[in-house]
Amino acid sequence: MALPETARRILADLPDHRRATFELRLERWWPDLHDAVTTLYSDPDDVAAALVTVAARGFVQRPDDLHRLDDRRLLQPDWFQRPDMFGYACYVDRYAETLKGMGDRLGHLTDLGVTYLHLMPLLKPRPGDNDGGYAVMDYRSVRPDLGTNDDLRDLATTLRGKGISLVVDLVLNHVAREHDWAVKARAGDASYRDWFHIYPDRATPDAFEATLPEVFPDFAPGNFTFDDELGQWVWTTFNEWQWDLNWSNPAVLLEFADVVIHLANLGVEVLRLDAIAFLWKRLGTNCQNQPEVHAITQALRATARIAAPATLFKAEAIVGPRDLLPYLGLGRHTGKVSDIAYHNSLMVHVWSMLASGSADLARHALGSLPPTPPSGTWVTYVRCHDDIGWAIDDGDAAGRGITGAGHRHFLADWYSGEFEGSWAEGVVFQHNPATGDRRISGTAAGLTGLGPSRKDPDGAFARIFLAHAIVAAWGGIPVVWSGDEIGSPGDVDWASEPGHEDDNRWIHRPRVTDTDRAGRVEEGSDAQRVFDGIARIAAVRAGLPMLHAEAPVEVLSDVDDGVLAIARRHPSGTLVGLFNVTCEHRPFPGARLRELGVAPREVLSQHELVESDGLLWIPPYAAWWIV
């Protein structure tokens, strides 16, 4: 591939070694780039050349310390798959008020063992209700109340010096109605009207609606909004003030490629690609997980690899397990799309096991998932900023003799506290009477018995540690949601903040007030007890090479119904995870461990393993990592 003339001029003043570096990267990633845009557009040569120019401009602007980071990451391509990766996610304003304030409270995170910090949406959103920051008004500016681009760059530099990689959201599917692109479209600019899906009447929207689900049926029913200024209908999957972008227009791809490199040059190491499943619209489908989504990701990734290869992509694809693996790359896209994806199924099945006291369904569902591609990995988590949707696959449920709808109903009852004997204090989010679907809001503590009423505090501590130990042993990057590391019961005053009153997800987005300004937790408190337990998980994990992402997860069958058992085989040895999801002692055959090649030594809780009549008895809600 010859350099496009525009790119050649941009690179002309660089030292020879820098220019040679760019040319070698172009040689390496040009086939991925051209293949992707050929799938998407009728003029692939022009689009690919324009993307190379975007990459060249970003490469020239990239600071020297980030060029050095690029070299280091290329020499250590598995850096994000290593067992010392341990994540934390928070809103800047709810953790430290400002970006500068984050720097004052890093002690809390380093004590926890954090090496991966996801700061929730911090780019400038629309005023007022903005879907928690996901209605972006300007991709090139930080929220003014949080700071400036320079503050973001300084924080990224500080984090990098402490071995912490910065993660930031990039919303791909839609922009705020107030974004300049949408403003120009409403003003009659034909070129910008083509950046969106705009229709003169309901004919086409009605045709699409026949197969489209509703994301927020309570407060944003339907998928299209009549805009008074336009006098026409606009595609709005999430809210009437979030306009879906038209990715079939190559101008959208070019603009976002430039935004990706802009953020990378500020020091962002991982970009969370929000709502990625929704990008491509196709009549007669649910307009999710279309093949073109993966071509778009491949084009963006190839462009970023040329300019800033230290930058990784994380797919926010909260989809069914059969649809999830393509986001990490399958077939022609293997190793060419997102590097990381959310393991939503694991999160759902952790909560399912705790409620039911049975690992049978989880064993069946999780054991049937294929391994991740060698170049990719999961983000695993007990909670995130969002509600919990009970994504139980009907086929998986039927395979274990239950109904998917019935189990989903049970889980919603259990975690809303409606089921007799439940220790949970969650709240129902987005009840859909037509389908019976009920999602749940609440912190990990609130859902395990450590909520405001403290229904079962002793059991809650055990369940909190068990849940985090499962996700930390699974592989990939375990991420703790802000507040869960200190056992926050949730924000009982969530509805008092302007713009939050109709969205009870803010109950599990508390301000982290149980720590002082330096980030220390009060000694002897519930918060300290939870913090110490999770920090222990992170510290032990960091020293276990069998928890490198390259070691596949094997879900063991033929074990007690109340026990989830996994094996992680690595050249350095094997780790067996035994997790009792019940309130009773459960057995596991000692001979089975010897068959797996482990001489029993439990390293997480340092529990002494003693066999009785050939059986090990696992205490209630215990998590054992055996090597």
Side-chain angles (χ1 to χ4, degrees):
M1 163 59 190
L3 269 174
E5 184 56 36
T6 305
R8 186 180 302 279
R9 288 197 299 269
I10 291 170
L11 299 168
D13 294 334
L14 288 180
D16 289 346
H17 74 280
R18 278 276 164 82
R19 192 164 57 251
T21 294
F22 185 90
E23 291 172 354
L24 286 170
R25 290 183 192 166
L26 178 60
E27 181 181 331
R28 163 63 181 85
W29 280 293
W30 170 259
D32 294 356
L33 182 63
H34 194 268
D35 175 63
V37 296
T38 299
T39 300
L40 297 167
Y41 307 116
S42 60
D43 51 350
D45 292 347
D46 292 343
V47 176
L51 287 169
V52 172
T53 299
V54 169
R57 187 164 53 245
F59 182 82
V60 168
Q61 295 169 350
R62 194 156 171 81
D64 287 344
D65 60 333
L66 294 179
H67 277 298
R68 184 174 178 81
L69 181 67
D70 290 333
D71 293 340
R72 184 181 302 118
R73 297 304 194 213
L74 288 171
L75 289 170
Q76 299 174 335
D78 70 334
W79 66 272
F80 64 100
Q81 299 174 302
R82 297 181 178 187
D84 62 351
M85 292 301 291
F86 195 82
Y88 187 84
C90 66
Y91 288 96
V92 173
D93 56 331
R94 304 183 83 76
Y95 181 86
E97 297 183 0
T98 65
L99 291 166
K100 287 183 177 179
M102 286 296 304
D104 297 331
R105 300 197 70 194
L106 294 181
H108 181 70
L109 302 182
T110 55
D111 288 350
L112 189 63
V114 170
T115 57
Y116 169 106
L117 177 60
H118 176 194
L119 299 182
M120 297 298 287
L122 51 73
L123 302 179
K124 186 178 180 180
R126 73 188 295 268
D129 194 1
N130 52 48
D131 190 21
Y134 289 103
V136 178
M137 187 174 167
D138 183 357
Y139 286 96
R140 298 177 187 277
S141 299
V142 169
R143 271 175 48 185
D145 61 314
L146 300 182
T148 65
N149 284 359
D150 287 340
D151 294 332
L152 181 61
R153 182 186 292 107
D154 290 345
L155 177 61
T157 302
T158 299
L159 291 170
R160 198 159 57 248
K162 294 181 178 293
I164 301 175
S165 297
L166 176 61
V167 188
V168 167
D169 288 87
L170 180 61
V171 184
L172 296 180
N173 179 69
H174 47 263
V175 299
R177 182 181 182 275
E178 292 77 9
H179 195 291
D180 188 54
W181 307 335
V183 171
K184 289 178 178 177
R186 289 198 303 278
D189 188 320
S191 62
Y192 280 97
R193 285 172 69 94
D194 195 36
W195 284 47
F196 302 96
H197 302 274
I198 298 172
Y199 304 98
D201 53 44
R202 283 291 311 188
T204 301
D206 285 345
F208 274 106
E209 289 278 21
T211 54
L212 289 178
E214 294 178 308
V215 176
F216 296 135
D218 278 4
F219 53 73
N223 291 272
F224 298 86
T225 297
F226 185 79
D227 187 86
D228 291 333
E229 285 186 59
L230 276 173
Q232 299 191 49
W233 293 88
V234 182
W235 199 313
T236 54
T237 296
F238 290 87
N239 284 285
E240 64 181 19
W241 28 260
Q242 288 169 296
W243 285 22
D244 285 34
L245 289 157
N246 176 17
W247 281 87
S248 66
N249 180 350
V252 174
L253 175 67
L254 290 168
E255 182 66 27
F256 272 92
D258 197 60
V259 169
V260 164
I261 296 172
H262 162 74
L263 294 171
N265 283 352
L266 290 175
V268 176
E269 294 187 38
V270 182
L271 287 167
R272 176 186 178 275
L273 306 182
D274 181 72
I276 189 174
F278 296 84
L279 299 190
W280 201 266
K281 320 299 187 186
R282 177 169 280 114
L283 191 63
T285 73
N286 66 357
C287 295
Q288 296 182 42
N289 311 311
Q290 299 302 303
E292 291 83 357
V293 169
H294 307 303
I296 290 168
T297 312
Q298 180 172 315
L300 290 172
R301 183 181 186 272
T303 307
R305 282 294 193 269
I306 295 168
T311 311
L312 300 185
F313 286 174
K314 175 171 63 172
E316 193 263 341
I318 309 303
V319 298
R322 277 43 173 197
D323 294 319
L324 184 56
L325 264 295
Y327 288 89
L328 287 174
L330 293 178
R332 65 186 293 185
H333 298 297
T334 298
K336 301 176 182 179
V337 285
S338 292
D339 308 276
I340 310 167
Y342 284 89
H343 202 328
N344 184 62
S345 295
L346 178 62
M347 182 269 292
V348 169
H349 281 288
V350 166
W351 291 109
S352 173
M353 287 187 289
L354 291 177
S356 65
S358 169
D360 184 58
L361 177 59
R363 192 158 42 237
H364 174 77
L366 298 172
S368 65
L369 288 177
T372 59
S375 61
T377 195
W378 301 115
V379 157
T380 58
Y381 53 106
V382 173
R383 287 291 293 112
C384 68
H385 75 287
D386 235 331
D387 56 280
I388 301 177
W390 302 115
I392 301 295
D393 183 81
D394 287 338
D396 288 333
R400 308 319 296 162
I402 60 177
T403 67
H407 194 59
R408 290 189 291 271
H409 186 88
F410 160 70
L411 293 174
D413 280 351
W414 183 274
Y415 285 106
S416 63
E418 297 172 29
F419 199 93
E420 185 176 354
S422 169
W423 18 253
E425 293 186 70
V427 294
V428 172
F429 178 75
Q430 294 293 309
H431 179 210
N432 188 333
T435 63
D437 179 48
R438 286 173 295 158
R439 288 128 71 180
I440 295 292
S441 299
T443 63
L447 298 180
T448 53
L450 200 61
S453 301
R454 294 176 62 85
K455 289 185 176 182
D456 182 17
D458 289 336
F461 287 117
R463 286 185 284 268
I464 289 170
F465 301 145
L466 172 62
H468 283 93
I470 292 173
V471 302
W474 198 266
I477 307 170
V479 175
V480 178
W481 174 243
S482 183
D484 283 352
E485 85 284 7
I486 54 173
S488 172
D491 183 1
V492 295
D493 296 321
W494 61 269
S496 64
E497 291 192 44
H500 294 182
E501 50 278 322
D502 294 324
D503 187 348
N504 66 30
R505 290 175 298 178
W506 289 102
I507 198 171
H508 56 250
R509 301 168 181 173
R511 298 187 185 276
V512 181
T513 56
D514 285 3
T515 59
D516 64 21
R517 288 296 298 170
R520 290 182 293 267
V521 182
E522 181 183 348
E523 290 292 336
S525 63
D526 287 351
Q528 183 71 58
R529 184 176 175 184
V530 174
F531 184 92
D532 288 348
I534 295 176
R536 167 73 182 172
I537 290 170
V540 174
R541 184 182 194 275
L544 295 173
M546 21 331 234
L547 295 184
H548 190 291
E550 70 182 2
V553 181
E554 178 187 356
V555 180
L556 304 181
S557 57
D558 300 323
V559 300
D560 184 88
D561 180 67
V563 176
L564 176 70
I566 65 170
R568 303 288 306 278
R569 302 177 191 271
H570 186 267
S572 67
T574 297
L575 178 143
V576 176
L578 299 180
F579 307 103
N580 181 356
V581 299
T582 78
C583 59
E584 303 172 343
H585 281 75
R586 307 305 298 183
F588 189 84
R592 190 78 181 274
L593 293 178
R594 292 185 283 277
E595 291 171 6
L596 292 165
V598 294
R601 181 169 65 91
E602 202 284 312
V603 295
L604 184 57
S605 62
Q606 297 183 326
H607 188 94
E608 183 180 359
L609 302 182
V610 179
E611 289 187 31
S612 175
D613 296 327
L615 296 175
L616 294 165
W617 287 91
I618 310 169
Y621 298 120
W624 287 357
W625 292 358
I626 303 173
V627 298

